[in-house]
Amino acid sequence: MSDQHVEASQSSDTHSVWGRKIFFLNPHESLFPVISDLRAAEYEIYTIENYRDVKGMLKRYPDSMLFINVDDQLPHESWLNFVLSLKEDQAFSNVLVGLLTHGLKKEITDKFMKYADLTGGIINVSESRTLVLHSINSVLKINNAKGRRKYVRAICVGDTKVQIIITVSGKMYVLKVFDISTVGVACSTKQSMDITSIKPKTIFRRSTIALNGVQYAVDLLVLAIKPNKDENMLVCLFMPGMQASIKQKIRSYVFSTLQKRLLNSVLDMPKDTQDYTKESALLSLPDKNEAADTETQVNGGHLKSTESNAHDAGHLSESGQFTSLF
C-alpha cells in the first residue's frame, strides 16, 4: 500500500515517517474513553499494566512515547526516580515521557519540573474527557506521533478469524487476509483463482468481511493486483459509505491484534528489578534551572556571577513541548 497506509510502526530512527508507538502505563479507568478517541484518530496506542515490563518494551521500541499513571503502583517519589532512571540510560534517550495524575503535591511537581525532561507534560486526568483528550492530542501532534502514516494496520498472516469473501465470474472465493486497516485490506488468493477479469478500480459489490465469526457486508474497490508464484495479492479499499459500526469493528480488531502481539512479546523480556525507592543520583545534582540562573565566570583570578534570564520552570518552554494543567 502507499506510504500513507503502512504497517504499525517498528522501532527505528525514522519515526518521522513511521510514527511512534504510544504506551499508556496502567492508565486510569477514566482514561479508556480518551484512548478510544485517540485510536479512532489513528494513533498507534498500546496499554501496559505493569511498570516492570516498561523498560524491556522501550528498549525494543526506543522511539516511543510513554504516558505514566503516577497515582498507582508506586509512590510519587518513586515514580520520579523511575522517570529519572530513563533519563540516566542512553538506551531511552529518544523516549518521550508524560505524566497522568489526579493531582501532585507542589513539592513533587516542582521536582519533576526541575529534574525530569517531561516532553509529554503533566496532564490532570480529573479534567473533562474533552480537555484531557485535547491535552494529550496536542502533545502527540507537537511530537509528530503519526509521522507520515495516516492509518494503523495490523498484519494478520495465519489468523483465521478474519477473512474476505468475494464472488468472481459467478464463483465464491474465501480470501486469506494479509493485513487490514479501517480503510483497506490486502488479501492473498490461490493461484487457481481466475484474476484475468480483475483490474484496478474493479468494484466488488456485496462482498463480505468475516471478523471473529461474524460476517459484515462491504463493497471493495481494487487498488492493485500483485501476481505471485504461489499466491496472488489483491489490495482493496473499503468503499465510502461503509457503515460506521463495521468500521468500528475493524478498528477494534486491528488494535486488539496489535495489543495481543505486544503482550505476547512481553513474555520473553526480562523484568525490571530496579528498586525505585532509592533516590536517583540526579537529585543530588544542582537542578537545571538554578544552574541556568547563575553563571560563574573566572575573571583575573576572581569569581564573578552574572544573572541570566532563564525561564521559570512552571511556564511553557519556547518549543511548546511542555504541557501542564496545574
Side-chain angles (χ1 to χ4, degrees):
M1 298 198 177
S2 68
D3 63 356
Q4 293 180 344
H5 182 191
V6 296
E7 178 188 355
S9 63
Q10 301 299 310
S11 62
S12 69
D13 294 328
T14 58
H15 58 264
S16 61
V17 175
W18 299 98
R20 297 178 184 270
K21 291 185 184 296
I22 303 159
F23 296 107
F24 284 84
L25 173 54
N26 187 31
H28 302 76
E29 184 176 350
S30 63
L31 207 64
F32 281 97
V34 174
I35 289 175
S36 294
D37 293 338
L38 293 170
R39 284 174 170 166
E42 299 292 342
Y43 285 106
E44 190 184 341
I45 306 290
Y46 300 85
T47 60
I48 306 176
E49 291 186 8
N50 193 334
Y51 74 94
R52 295 293 186 187
D53 296 323
V54 170
K55 286 187 173 180
M57 195 68 64
L58 295 180
K59 285 181 179 178
R60 183 168 293 185
Y61 306 108
D63 295 321
S64 302
M65 298 187 70
L66 175 66
F67 289 94
I68 304 170
N69 169 8
V70 294
D71 296 336
D72 194 17
Q73 296 190 1
L74 292 173
H76 289 155
E77 292 78 7
S78 295
W79 277 123
L80 174 61
N81 294 325
F82 176 86
V83 172
L84 293 180
S85 74
L86 298 177
K87 182 177 178 180
E88 290 174 306
D89 192 332
Q90 187 63 27
F92 307 116
S93 60
N94 290 330
V95 175
L96 309 182
V97 179
L99 308 184
L100 306 166
T101 180
H102 283 295
L104 296 174
K105 293 181 179 179
K106 185 179 184 303
E107 178 184 359
I108 192 69
T109 300
D110 289 345
K111 285 185 177 180
F112 272 114
M113 287 181 172
K114 290 176 180 179
Y115 296 103
D117 294 326
L118 296 179
T119 313
I122 304 175
I123 297 173
N124 187 345
V125 297
S126 297
E127 299 286 353
S128 69
R129 173 177 174 177
T130 300
L131 286 177
V132 174
L133 176 62
H134 174 74
S135 297
I136 297 175
N137 195 41
S138 296
V139 172
L140 298 182
K141 284 185 176 180
I142 287 172
N143 291 286
N144 195 24
K146 282 188 184 180
R148 294 208 327 245
R149 176 193 60 207
K150 286 191 175 181
Y151 305 100
V152 178
R153 64 174 175 169
I155 292 179
C156 331
V157 177
D159 189 350
T160 58
K161 292 180 293 184
V162 55
Q163 295 175 326
I164 293 291
I165 304 171
I166 62 173
T167 301
V168 180
S169 302
K171 292 185 179 181
M172 183 178 294
Y173 294 91
V174 178
L175 310 183
K176 294 183 293 184
V177 174
F178 178 78
D179 65 50
I180 189 170
S181 77
T182 56
V183 295
V185 61
C187 313
S188 58
T189 70
K190 293 182 179 179
Q191 192 70 7
S192 58
M193 176 178 164
D194 181 12
I195 63 170
T196 56
S197 63
I198 304 175
K199 309 292 182 186
K201 298 186 180 179
T202 297
I203 297 176
F204 291 110
R205 300 286 185 187
R206 295 176 294 281
S207 298
T208 300
I209 179 171
L211 287 171
N212 299 314
V214 181
Q215 295 186 349
Y216 306 95
V218 293
D219 293 334
L220 299 172
L221 172 67
V222 177
L223 188 65
I225 306 157
K226 300 178 180 179
N228 193 296
K229 180 180 179 181
D230 300 317
E231 294 181 319
N232 299 309
M233 185 70 71
L234 199 64
V235 181
C236 301
L237 298 177
F238 296 115
M239 291 286 288
M242 181 173 65
Q243 293 180 23
S245 59
I246 298 176
K247 188 173 185 177
Q248 180 55 42
K249 294 289 184 182
I250 295 171
R251 178 177 291 115
S252 295
Y253 170 81
V254 167
F255 281 101
S256 65
T257 298
L258 294 176
Q259 181 71 28
K260 287 176 185 176
R261 188 175 299 151
L262 180 88
L263 294 179
N264 288 337
S265 71
V266 168
L267 299 177
D268 63 355
M269 293 181 183
K271 297 287 186 181
D272 179 4
T273 59
Q274 187 167 335
D275 181 4
Y276 295 108
T277 61
K278 296 182 179 179
E279 187 172 280
S280 168
L282 293 179
L283 294 175
S284 63
L285 300 175
D287 72 71
K288 59 187 178 183
N289 295 292
E290 289 177 358
D293 282 339
T294 305
E295 178 184 306
T296 304
Q297 300 176 340
V298 177
N299 184 12
H302 297 281
L303 295 178
K304 183 175 77 172
S305 295
T306 58
E307 296 301 316
S308 68
N309 293 317
H311 288 290
D312 182 89
H315 292 272
L316 290 175
S317 68
E318 290 180 353
S319 65
Q321 291 185 326
F322 187 82
T323 305
S324 176
L325 294 184
F326 295 107

